[in-house]
Amino acid sequence: MSSSRIRVVVLISGSGSNLQALIDGMQRGELPIEIAAVISNRPAVLGLMRAEHAGIPALVLDHKQFDDRESFDQKLAQLIDSYQPDLVVLAGFMRILTTAFTRHYLGRMLNIHPSLLPKYQGLNTHQRVLDAGDIEHGVTVHFVTEELDGGPAVIQAKISVAPGDDAASLAKRVQQQEHIIYPLAVKWFAEGRLRMRHDGVLLDNELLSPSGYLISA
Ligand code: GRF
């Protein structure tokens, strides 16, 4: 059984609700993964407690202890690699990554971003969607490349923006979708069905559209 499970390291910075969705899927036997470690760049966050509660090694590598981005990323890569993961999952990991780091994990690192990429890369996506008067919004799982929030999309979930929505209500509905699509993307990867190629993402050997596999809530 364990030989067919891939090893995953999850990086977090905060509440870890996406981490929890992965833990739940793993514990229910729906995800053929073993979460080998959870690493946070911030001490004492809820996500670390979620990991400990599930019996997963929970580590802190505080970026404030490092002089620069390069030295932090180097140490982080060393720590990750000591767990020999098949996949690295960024789950609310609020750090800009160096090119060397992203290249090292090319094709084996996923991120989730709360917008319909390529729209709204960066922060405050929900408010920016409202300010622009968009009628739809959503979330994207993508492979990580050196371009911030720019790697090829694996899966997107769309939601409608309702007249009374504010940033908090949008965030809530987007997060519900996150907890569905992130485990699904990880499952595909774990089953060997997902692969990043120079021209995009292959699911079951078929090239996905640039916005990835689409789910409408
Ligand atoms: C999510 O909204 C994710 O899209 C963004 O950061 C948030 C992380 O939430 N990248 P959580 O820590 O998984 O609860």
Side-chain angles (χ1 to χ4, degrees), residues 133-169:
D134 290 1
I135 57 170
E136 63 174 18
H137 183 30
V139 53
T140 307
V141 174
H142 64 94
F143 278 102
V144 175
T145 62
E146 57 197 86
E147 191 193 335
L148 180 66
D149 298 328
V154 173
I155 180 166
Q156 279 192 335
K158 279 189 186 177
I159 64 161
S160 302
V161 180
D165 266 322
D166 57 18
S169 66

Side-chain angles (χ1 to χ4, degrees), residues 14-19 91-92 94 111-114 139 175 178:
S15 91
S17 67
N18 282 284
L19 165 67
M94 304 302 283
N111 182 41
I112 191 158
H113 181 78
V139 53
Q175 279 230 321
E178 295 185 6

Side-chain angles (χ1 to χ4, degrees), residues 70-125:
E70 284 71 24
S71 54
F72 173 74
D73 277 14
Q74 268 171 25
K75 186 73 192 172
L76 180 59
Q78 255 178 34
L79 190 57
I80 294 169
D81 290 350
S82 72
Y83 289 93
Q84 299 186 298
D86 304 291
L87 177 67
V88 177
V89 170
L90 307 183
F93 187 61
M94 304 302 283
R95 294 278 308 166
I96 292 173
L97 301 166
T98 57
T99 299
F101 187 90
T102 58
R103 284 194 183 154
H104 182 61
Y105 297 105
L106 197 62
R108 53 193 183 109
M109 182 157 66
L110 295 172
N111 182 41
I112 191 158
H113 181 78
S115 79
L116 296 172
L117 290 172
K119 292 182 89 171
Y120 308 115
Q121 298 165 339
L123 298 174
N124 302 320
T125 58

